[in-house]
Amino acid sequence: MANLVVITGRLTKDIECKYTQQGMAVGRFTLALDRGKDKNGQDRGADFPRCTAFGRTAENLEKFTAKGLRVQVIG
């Protein structure tokens, strides 16, 4: 059985691709994940996981996404 993580959140800033010496695109980004509210209605804050995409995925993220857009990461 394999482990699977599914995260849905909003981009905290625009993604910029950098390229390795071999020419592979690398895109690093951070998602804002809302924790919701507790039983008293108080906001429980947010988490900010850092993510990395490679190759064509990184290039497409840079091209078609922007800060604040809601994205889903599966890994």
Side-chain angles (χ1 to χ4, degrees), residues 10-18 26-32 51 58-71:
R10 297 196 181 273
L11 292 171
T12 59
K13 64 179 185 175
D14 291 346
I15 297 170
E16 287 185 35
C17 282
K18 295 187 178 182
V26 178
R28 291 186 172 89
F29 56 97
T30 303
L31 293 178
C51 305
E59 291 172 344
N60 285 333
L61 282 169
E62 180 183 39
K63 193 174 187 179
F64 297 112
T65 64
K67 177 182 176 179
L69 187 68
R70 192 170 183 173
V71 296

Side-chain angles (χ1 to χ4, degrees), residues 30-72:
T30 303
L31 293 178
L33 308 176
D34 185 23
R35 290 189 193 169
K37 299 187 185 292
D38 64 13
K39 62 183 177 181
N40 297 326
Q42 298 292 323
D43 189 20
R44 296 189 330 197
D47 291 316
F48 298 93
R50 290 178 284 177
C51 305
T52 306
F54 298 95
R56 192 165 205 161
T57 302
E59 291 172 344
N60 285 333
L61 282 169
E62 180 183 39
K63 193 174 187 179
F64 297 112
T65 64
K67 177 182 176 179
L69 187 68
R70 192 170 183 173
V71 296
Q72 186 173 54

